[in-house]
């Protein structure tokens, strides 16, 4: 607390990111990072870009990266916005589209950054309960609103919604912006980017942090109607002209170009997810059906917080949310084969 702070700062309850411990040899399954490194072609591109040209400012429009994303998703560059991680893109989205009289709607259990942005930008919001099976029922969102946002797959529940259901929501909700946060869509879901030409109020956000293994580079983007993108550009150019540095732009382009590596590593995560799910079930866990690079699991006879502490003592860290309705669940990132085996071996000794 300081008397020098602006009034709004006193009231903020900032987001708390998952721990990034300094201890070596931990099996880190707590922040949904990709166990496989970035494509070797990405690393090589970064090396080549690490030169005297770093004295120059990067392209404020990151045109090359927008073009690479547009090519990959078969849209035009004026339908693409890029930012310093999708968290920054989301912050601009809240600022640009959700400050209305009617409340923003999002699920009661979802990405915990959303209420933080609402507080920062003083946006009124209403949470919509998930079903008892932790599903989003799109009919529950058909009410007066100043915007709708949810992740698909949802976090931390991992549950995936079909494209048909998202389209059903868009058919009924045409007067406010609908944002689908697709941070995990590449792990088996179908992107709603294919719907942007049909619905001018639809915006999709994605990140290179998870499926493209570049969390450390901070690259996120949004795809939608050029008018929505223009609104985001106005916010961005009133905030920071250069959110992506030259190395990030280069890395992002190379990541979209190496489709083979991307597909291979996503497939490995998906097959490991199946294995981890089956093994956890055989240990007595209930595991929600996952469309992400993590699973959300609960055990009928073991307290989740105690399991998380027990795992940590053995060098395995997972995420536990001390929050109503989900405090008996663990969110476990899918690791590489060794990490997954270690998780299950330690879990077996704790039960
Ligand atoms: C990880 C995550 C993000 C943020 O991704 P960055 O691009 O690393 O900022 C956004 N939304 C959800 C649901 C996430 O899980």
């Amino acid at each position: 607390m300081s008397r020098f702070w602006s009034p709004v700062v006193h009231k903020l309850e900032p987001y708390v990111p998952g721990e990034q411990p300094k201890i070596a040899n931990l099996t880190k399954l707590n922040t949904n990072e990709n166990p496989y490194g970035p494509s070797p072609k990405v690393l090589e591109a970064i090396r080549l870009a690490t030169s005297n040209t770093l004295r120059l400012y990067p392209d404020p429009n990151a045109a090359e990266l927008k073009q690479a994303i547009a090519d990959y998703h078969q849209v035009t560059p004026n339908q693409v916005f890029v930012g310093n991680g999708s968290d920054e893109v989301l912050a601009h989205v809240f600022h640009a589209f959700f400050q209305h009289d009617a409340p923003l709607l999002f699920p009661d259990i979802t990405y915990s950054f959303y209420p933080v942005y609402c507080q920062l930008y003083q946006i009124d919001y209403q949470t919509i309960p998930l079903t008892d099976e932790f599903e989003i029922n799109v009919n529950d969102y058909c009410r007066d609103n100043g915007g709708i946002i949810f992740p698909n797959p949802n976090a931390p529940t991992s549950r995936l919604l079909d494209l048909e259901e998202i389209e059903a929501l868009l058919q009924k909700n045409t007067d406010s912006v609908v944002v689908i946060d697709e941070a995990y869509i590449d792990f088996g879901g179908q992107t709603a980017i294919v719907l942007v030409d049909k619905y001018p109020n639809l915006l999709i956000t994605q990140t290179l942090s998870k499926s493209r293994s570049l969390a450390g580079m901070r690259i996120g983007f949004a795809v939608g109607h050029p008018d929505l993108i223009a609104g985001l550009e106005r916010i961005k150019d009133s905030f920071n002209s250069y959110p992506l540095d030259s190395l990030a732009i280069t890395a992002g382009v190379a990541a979209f170009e190496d489709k083979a590596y991307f597909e291979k590593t996503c497939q490995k995560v998906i097959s490991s997810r199946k294995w981890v799910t089956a093994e956890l079930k055989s240990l007595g866990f209930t595991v929600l059906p996952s469309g992400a690079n993590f699973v959300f699991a609960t055990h009928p006879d073991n307290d989740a917080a105690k399991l998380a502490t027990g795992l940590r003592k053995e060098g395995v860290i997972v995420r536990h949310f001390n929050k109503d309705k989900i405090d008996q669940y663990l969110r476990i990132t899918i690791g590489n084969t060794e990490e997954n085996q270690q998780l299950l071996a330690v879990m077996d000794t704790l039960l």
Side-chain angles (χ1 to χ4, degrees):
M1 288 286 187
S2 161
R3 67 191 171 92
F4 301 116
W5 289 359
S6 302
V8 67
V9 180
H10 290 274
K11 288 184 219 130
L12 293 179
E13 290 169 61
Y15 177 74
V16 184
E19 189 192 358
Q20 294 292 350
K22 296 282 174 283
I23 317 158
N25 300 322
L26 277 181
T27 296
K28 195 175 170 305
L29 305 177
N30 68 328
T31 51
N32 299 342
E33 287 141 334
N34 197 312
Y36 307 106
S39 151
K41 290 181 184 162
V42 168
L43 299 180
E44 183 56 19
I46 295 169
R47 260 179 233 119
L48 290 173
T50 306
S51 71
N52 192 41
T53 58
L54 282 173
R55 73 188 182 81
L56 301 171
Y57 281 104
D59 172 10
N61 188 39
E64 263 187 273
L65 179 56
K66 285 185 179 177
Q67 186 67 55
I69 294 169
D71 289 347
Y72 184 86
H73 284 294
Q74 300 184 335
V75 294
T76 53
N78 68 346
Q79 291 176 294
V80 181
F81 177 80
V82 295
N84 193 259
S86 63
D87 283 341
E88 184 186 81
V89 174
L90 287 167
H92 292 339
V93 164
F94 276 64
H95 207 170
F97 306 127
F98 293 157
Q99 281 178 329
H100 300 294
D101 291 335
L104 172 67
L105 307 180
F106 53 82
D108 60 342
I109 297 163
T110 194
Y111 189 34
S112 44
F113 227 133
Y114 300 159
V116 176
Y117 294 134
C118 285
Q119 208 178 30
L120 180 62
Y121 296 118
Q122 303 178 1
I123 294 163
D124 186 25
Y125 68 91
Q126 215 173 340
T127 59
I128 309 290
L130 296 180
T131 68
D132 292 342
E133 275 71 48
F134 292 105
E135 282 173 294
I136 290 170
N137 179 349
V138 294
N139 294 321
D140 297 340
Y141 292 77
C142 298
R143 58 169 86 182
D144 185 39
N145 69 77
I148 296 172
I149 185 167
F150 54 79
N152 191 39
N154 194 10
T157 64
S158 79
R159 296 211 65 161
L160 180 71
L161 215 56
D162 290 344
L163 203 54
E164 289 72 34
E165 292 179 75
I166 289 172
E167 184 152 25
L169 172 66
L170 288 160
Q171 279 165 354
K172 289 178 203 148
N173 192 87
T174 53
D175 293 330
S176 66
V177 176
V178 176
V179 178
I180 314 294
D181 176 352
E182 293 187 338
Y184 302 103
I185 198 69
D186 296 324
F187 299 106
Q190 239 186 320
T191 177
I193 289 177
V194 294
L195 299 176
V196 293
D197 285 332
K198 217 165 148 188
Y199 300 95
N201 62 327
L202 170 64
L203 190 82
I204 314 301
T205 62
Q206 289 194 8
T207 174
L208 277 72
S209 297
K210 276 84 182 222
S211 58
R212 287 188 169 79
S213 205
L214 284 170
M217 263 289 164
R218 313 305 304 127
I219 310 168
F221 63 95
V223 179
H225 190 281
D227 290 349
L228 295 182
I229 301 306
L232 291 171
E233 298 290 354
R234 289 174 75 114
I235 296 272
K236 173 243 171 197
D237 287 320
S238 308
F239 179 82
N240 178 5
S241 307
Y242 309 104
L244 288 186
D245 62 63
S246 331
L247 300 184
I249 293 170
T250 300
V253 170
F256 276 98
E257 281 171 358
D258 197 351
K259 213 171 149 184
Y261 182 86
F262 164 71
E263 285 171 359
K264 185 180 76 185
T265 47
C266 285
Q267 216 43 57
K268 285 209 282 195
V269 170
I270 292 168
S271 59
S272 298
R273 178 180 73 209
K274 287 186 188 144
W275 184 76
V276 170
T277 301
E279 294 291 309
L280 285 172
K281 283 184 177 169
S282 73
L283 290 176
F285 280 90
T286 301
V287 186
L288 297 189
S290 171
N293 68 338
F294 60 90
V295 291
F296 203 51
T298 185
H299 197 281
D301 313 318
N302 289 269
D303 181 68
K306 279 189 191 147
L307 285 177
T309 309
L311 286 167
R312 207 201 148 91
K313 276 192 193 131
E314 298 302 318
V316 178
I317 46 178
V318 299
R319 193 101 195 249
H320 173 254
F321 297 90
N322 200 358
K323 200 179 170 239
D324 200 29
K325 290 196 196 178
I326 55 168
D327 64 345
Q328 284 311 314
Y329 281 79
L330 294 175
R331 193 194 70 186
I332 306 169
T333 305
I334 302 302
N336 63 26
T337 304
E338 257 182 19
E339 292 171 317
N340 298 334
Q341 282 168 346
Q342 201 203 343
L343 163 85
L344 288 155
V346 175
M347 201 69 103
D348 197 16
T349 65
L350 295 175
L351 299 174

